[in-house]
Amino acid sequence: MSFGNVNVVLVHGAWADGSSWSKVIDRLSQLNVRAIAAPLPLTSLNDDVAALDRVLERIEGPVVLVGHAYAGAVIGSTRSPNVEALVYVAALAPAEGETVGDVFYRGTTHPQAPQLAPDRHGWIWLPQDAFARAFAQHATPDELAVLSAVQRPISVSCIGEAVGRPLWQDRPSWFLVAAQDRMIDPDTQRFTASRMKAHVRSLEVDHTPIVTAPDAVTEVIVEALRSVSAR
């Protein structure tokens, strides 16, 4: 299987870092696909987009850009000309003028979802027990231990900044709806995927399938890769 010179850039969400993509990176590597995990500071949406753009500037050739959860807002806000397709994984995809918070709080809150509030420094941390209850309820104890150990807080600034015209209005997109998501309402995911006119795959996975269902995530990315490499 060959995808030419198409690259994949993977963008982590809140309470995670690039290591959350390790299983997907391994599977893409087996397909001879070059994958890069872009690090985000999670200090503001503008800062995160700037960090992503610095990664994209270093890449030659077309890019399939993949975002998990909060990172959906980040990948939709880049203007990098080498991005040919977008893949959203259990993600938030604000439309023009919306904030991350607008989309996140649009739907019904799952009864096991954590109560989130910033600390006195303006950082939002995920409570320890929320990893097993809501963030990745299908994860193994070892996976949960790693997710909890590497968690990075997200600044409250990230969720309050309105986005401009999102890139999904100008590029083809794919959306993996996590039907057992306890963090982002699956109905919200379906709504946003529909208005994006994305290629939708709805699967019985939790909020973090990049860890708990990496084969399924890789399959969606490969669909996008096939589309880009065929042009």
Side-chain angles (χ1 to χ4, degrees):
M1 187 180 299
S2 174
F3 301 107
N5 66 335
V6 184
N7 305 272
V8 173
V9 174
L10 307 160
V11 191
H12 66 83
W15 310 300
D17 65 8
S19 67
S20 61
W21 290 104
S22 59
K23 293 183 180 182
V24 174
I25 292 169
D26 178 62
R27 283 154 177 79
L28 290 171
S29 177
Q30 292 176 32
L31 298 173
N32 296 314
V33 175
R34 182 185 183 219
I36 296 172
L40 301 184
L42 301 178
T43 46
S44 73
L45 181 58
N46 285 336
D47 288 349
D48 292 338
V49 175
L52 172 59
D53 285 344
R54 288 192 293 271
V55 172
L56 293 170
E57 285 175 8
R58 298 175 50 241
I59 297 175
E60 294 184 5
V63 170
V64 170
L65 187 54
V66 188
H68 173 237
Y70 159 74
V74 180
I75 68 172
S77 297
T78 183
R79 296 294 178 266
S80 179
N82 55 345
V83 176
E84 296 289 340
L86 301 165
V87 178
Y88 291 76
V89 180
L92 297 163
E96 186 170 4
E98 290 182 341
T99 69
V100 168
D102 290 336
V103 182
F104 184 78
Y105 291 108
R106 178 184 183 277
T108 302
T109 301
H110 192 279
Q112 290 180 276
Q115 295 293 318
L116 300 172
D119 64 15
R120 63 190 181 91
H121 303 291
W123 293 100
I124 303 171
W125 294 83
L126 196 65
Q128 187 79 16
D129 64 348
F131 284 95
R133 285 192 296 106
F135 192 76
Q137 71 267 22
H138 296 169
T140 67
D142 287 346
E143 290 167 344
L144 289 168
V146 172
L147 285 169
S148 176
V150 303
Q151 87 146 303
R152 299 177 58 207
I154 184 169
S155 170
V156 70
S157 301
C158 294
I159 67 173
E161 297 176 27
V163 305
R165 178 185 173 88
L167 191 60
W168 49 258
Q169 290 191 267
D170 305 305
R171 301 288 189 280
S173 60
W174 280 255
F175 201 116
L176 191 161
V177 173
Q180 296 185 22
D181 200 321
R182 297 176 181 175
M183 296 292 295
I184 301 172
D185 184 3
D187 285 341
T188 294
Q189 295 179 44
R190 295 183 188 101
F191 167 79
T192 53
S194 175
R195 73 177 177 181
M196 293 164 64
K197 297 180 172 56
H199 303 276
V200 181
R201 302 290 178 267
S202 183
L203 301 173
E204 296 299 319
V205 295
D206 63 18
H207 177 67
T208 313
I210 61 176
V211 173
T212 61
D215 288 334
V217 174
T218 304
E219 286 175 9
V220 178
I221 295 171
V222 166
E223 284 187 31
L225 281 166
R226 287 197 184 106
S227 175
V228 172
S229 62
R231 293 175 194 170

